[in-house]
Amino acid sequence: MKEKKYGYVRVSSRDQCEDRQLVALKEFGVLSKNIYVDKISGKNFDRPQYNRMMKKLRKGDVLVILSIDRLGRNYGEIQNQWRIITKE
């Protein structure tokens, strides 16, 4: 089965622009329909689009995030999510 590429974009507030992240993901080959965008704080992982994306990910898929700080702000929670993404 061919791998699917997914992208995750997060900006902290509604007035911030996600364009730079979107361009980078598309250059990496992520289709627009597989990019999930949250305009919400990174303080925890209770984010609508992130949770929706996590339900789609399967073993062998590729998740593209422009930088680790776009995944979250709390180092411990980022490590936990990384474990979930790569091990579970």
Side-chain angles (χ1 to χ4, degrees), residues 8 10 45 47 50 65 67-72 78 81:
Y8 181 68
R10 184 187 64 80
F45 284 88
R47 303 180 214 144
Y50 181 81
I65 303 169
S67 63
I68 198 73
D69 68 327
R70 298 300 83 206
L71 190 55
I78 290 171
Q81 287 300 306

Side-chain angles (χ1 to χ4, degrees), residues 11-56:
V11 292
S12 297
S13 65
R14 293 233 174 252
D15 56 339
Q16 288 182 321
C17 185
E18 68 274 8
D19 291 348
R20 179 179 63 93
Q21 294 178 66
L22 291 170
V23 167
L25 296 182
K26 289 175 184 174
E27 286 176 354
F28 195 81
V30 181
L31 300 175
S32 294
K33 69 178 185 174
N34 292 336
I35 297 176
Y36 295 82
V37 179
D38 277 313
K39 291 188 174 194
I40 193 167
S41 170
K43 68 181 179 180
N44 61 46
F45 284 88
D46 184 21
R47 303 180 214 144
Q49 292 301 306
Y50 181 81
N51 293 327
R52 189 170 159 226
M53 177 197 68
M54 289 297 290
K55 290 177 183 175
K56 297 273 188 180

